[in-house]
Amino acid sequence: MRDKERVFQAAEALTAEGVAVTVTNVRERAGCSNAAATKYLREWRDTRAAENDARQALPDLPAAVTALVERGVDALWGAAVEVARSEHEAAAAAHDEALTAVVGEADALAARVDEADAELAQFRAVLESAREQARSAEEDRAAVEKERADAVAMSARLEGELAAARQALDAVRDELAHERAATTAAERARSDAEAARAQAEGAAVGLRESLADVRGALEAARSDAAQAHRDRAAAETARATAEASVARLEGELSASRDALASAREQVAEAERTRVAAIAAQAQAEGTAAGLREALEAAASTSVSG
């Protein structure tokens, strides 16, 4: 059904119910816009006025009047009808003038209402955009907080690994010191064996009668020297292994320090991002507050208008 038909039906229904036929009542009853209600209500009023004018046209003369006419009072009836018609035309003109003024005011009011509705819709769209920005800023802040927590956890884990690496390095250093002490003892034993061999050889020159005993002592000294030599070789091998372990642990310690520095940089970056997100959220909230004040001012102006 078209707007015109709905407006005409709504106006007829309101008239039958004894309710004032206004633009607002017709718009609510017909479910149309202010502009449509104003336009077609004017047509309905014009149509209704034309129908009233047709009904108020000069009626046929009654039988009694006809008798009077026959008795020569035609002039009297014509004068009476002319006076009544003049009074009706004057009243109709005054009614049309008042109706035109009311319709003009209704058109202006309808236009202002439509403009206010459009402006209100625009403010609502801007407010929704600001709210969406605020929600996005809150999500970014939550993501930054999570990244910062992850970075802090990684930093703590790296700190623990660094402490463990330091403990392992200290243990290797202690072991290396122990191996060095063993190497020193082996060197001392070899020196003692060399001294004993020299002493035994000197004693063999002067004491030939004790040659068998000296030879036995010499063999024992040589055996000790061989054992000391083997101990020294084992100590050298252990020292080389310990030094390699120290070098490896120092490399791991350096890598751990680099990872720790990277984690700290990530924590700093996450903190900067969090501060930026908080600033963006504050700005979005300020924008939303300003738009809310503007919306309230526009609504107040619309109501007062």
Side-chain angles (χ1 to χ4, degrees), residues 169-194:
L169 179 60
D170 292 338
V172 171
R173 286 176 177 172
D174 293 339
E175 184 179 356
L176 179 60
H178 180 72
E179 293 296 336
R180 286 176 178 172
T183 302
T184 302
E187 288 289 341
R188 187 179 300 111
R190 187 182 65 83
S191 298
D192 294 341
E194 290 291 338

Side-chain angles (χ1 to χ4, degrees), residues 9-304:
Q9 291 180 2
E12 293 292 343
L14 291 172
T15 301
E17 295 171 2
V19 180
V21 183
T22 62
V23 174
T24 300
N25 292 338
V26 170
R27 177 177 60 81
E28 294 177 353
R29 180 67 63 89
C32 61
S33 64
N34 283 315
T38 302
K39 176 181 176 181
Y40 296 122
L41 182 60
R42 187 186 303 117
E43 293 184 10
W44 178 81
R45 286 171 175 165
D46 292 341
T47 302
R48 191 175 180 83
E51 293 175 353
N52 291 333
D53 291 340
R55 285 194 298 270
Q56 293 176 2
L58 182 63
D60 296 335
L61 291 175
V65 175
T66 301
L68 291 175
V69 171
E70 291 176 355
R71 288 196 291 269
V73 292
D74 291 337
L76 179 60
W77 174 251
V81 170
E82 186 65 29
V83 170
R85 178 176 296 165
S86 298
E87 292 177 354
H88 171 71
E89 290 177 353
H95 175 72
D96 290 340
E97 183 178 356
L99 180 61
T100 301
V102 171
V103 169
E105 293 178 357
D107 291 341
L109 179 60
R112 288 198 298 271
V113 170
D114 290 338
E115 292 176 358
D117 288 339
E119 187 175 0
L120 180 60
Q122 183 179 3
F123 277 124
R124 285 175 177 170
V126 174
L127 179 60
E128 183 62 26
S129 177
R131 288 174 176 172
E132 183 64 26
Q133 292 178 1
R135 286 193 293 268
S136 178
E138 180 63 22
E139 292 175 356
D140 293 340
R141 186 183 69 83
V144 169
E145 288 291 340
K146 184 178 181 303
E147 291 179 357
R148 186 179 70 84
D150 293 341
V152 170
M154 181 180 292
S155 176
R157 181 175 60 80
L158 290 176
E159 288 285 355
E161 292 179 356
L162 179 59
R166 286 175 177 171
Q167 292 178 356
L169 179 60
D170 292 338
V172 171
R173 286 176 177 172
D174 293 339
E175 184 179 356
L176 179 60
H178 180 72
E179 293 296 336
R180 286 176 178 172
T183 302
T184 302
E187 288 289 341
R188 187 179 300 111
R190 187 182 65 83
S191 298
D192 294 341
E194 290 291 338
R197 186 183 64 177
Q199 183 179 3
E201 290 178 351
V205 173
L207 302 172
R208 294 183 181 277
E209 63 277 9
S210 302
L211 181 58
D213 296 336
V214 171
R215 285 178 178 175
L218 180 59
E219 288 297 330
R222 286 176 177 175
S223 178
D224 293 339
Q227 183 62 38
H229 184 70
R230 287 192 298 271
D231 292 340
R232 179 182 178 184
E236 289 292 335
T237 302
R239 183 175 63 83
T241 302
E243 289 178 352
S245 298
V246 169
R248 178 177 58 80
L249 289 175
E250 287 180 348
E252 292 178 357
L253 179 61
S254 177
S256 298
R257 287 175 178 172
D258 294 340
L260 179 60
S262 177
R264 288 175 176 171
E265 179 61 25
Q266 290 178 1
V267 170
E269 182 64 24
E271 184 65 21
R272 289 193 294 270
T273 305
R274 185 182 69 82
V275 172
I278 292 174
Q281 181 184 4
Q283 184 178 3
E285 290 176 353
T287 303
L291 291 175
R292 190 179 297 108
E293 292 178 359
L295 179 60
E296 292 175 356
S300 176
T301 302
S302 176
V303 172
S304 62

